Amino acid sequence: MTAPVVLLLSGVNLDRLGTRQPEVYGTATLDDHVATARAAAEVHGLALEHFHSNAEHRLVEAIHGATGRCAAIVINPGAFTHYAWSLHDALAAFAGPIIELHLSNPAAREEWRRVSVVAPVATGTIAGFGGDGYRLAVDAVATLLGR
Ligand code: DQA
């Protein structure tokens, strides 16, 4: 039987992880986080697919493409979290579990980060655990998929 696919989406500026504000986001790169998520997925018999873009519309298209093909979505939208209603609408049309993921805890930061337009259409949010969040998000997906 083929493994259910978990789509991990990375939004704007996450390609700069490793050197970008390490005091906030740590020194691990996006590739490191993807490797963490992939290892967790393998433990649960899930396949992990990753897509990064700095362009909002490309993430929207990736979400469209997940319908009927992916069992769940884990998304760290970066700053798109706080204003990209197109991501909200695209995710609202996805049938499976959706985990909103952040390295930092936006609720404990600047006022403008306390709004998430993704949260209302997410099954749940994992934030503030740094790179461990990538494993926790995949573990949450596995639980939600009954694995
Ligand atoms: C982030 C939090 C966002 O507020 C910020 O714009 C990011 C990263 C995080 O993972 O902590 O780019 O999503």
Side-chain angles (χ1 to χ4, degrees):
M1 214 173 80
T2 54
V5 177
V6 180
L7 179 62
L8 172 62
L9 293 174
S10 302
V12 62
N13 291 317
L14 296 188
D15 52 335
R16 312 305 291 172
L17 290 174
T19 54
R20 173 194 178 207
Q21 292 185 276
E23 68 286 4
V24 177
Y25 300 116
T27 52
T29 63
L30 183 56
D31 282 350
D32 294 334
H33 295 312
V34 173
T36 297
R38 183 158 286 130
E42 274 166 21
V43 168
H44 298 294
L46 299 167
L48 190 108
E49 196 177 290
H50 176 244
F51 178 73
H52 162 265
S53 183
N54 287 318
E56 186 178 332
H57 73 279
R58 296 201 64 203
L59 293 169
V60 167
E61 287 163 2
I63 295 165
H64 293 173
T67 295
R69 201 177 60 78
C70 299
I73 293 176
V74 175
I75 181 167
N76 183 344
F80 289 144
T81 305
H82 312 298
Y83 61 91
W85 288 102
S86 62
L87 292 182
H88 169 109
D89 283 352
L91 290 168
F94 180 76
I98 297 166
I99 308 296
E100 177 187 1
L101 171 63
H102 300 286
L103 290 157
S104 67
N105 179 4
R109 298 179 64 194
E110 302 96 316
E111 191 76 36
W112 61 269
R113 290 186 205 274
R114 294 183 196 161
V115 173
S116 168
V117 298
V118 169
V121 289
T123 312
T125 300
I126 292 173
F129 298 100
D132 287 342
Y134 282 78
R135 175 178 51 78
L136 295 169
V138 173
D139 287 351
V141 163
T143 300
L144 291 164
L145 294 178
R147 302 190 69 88

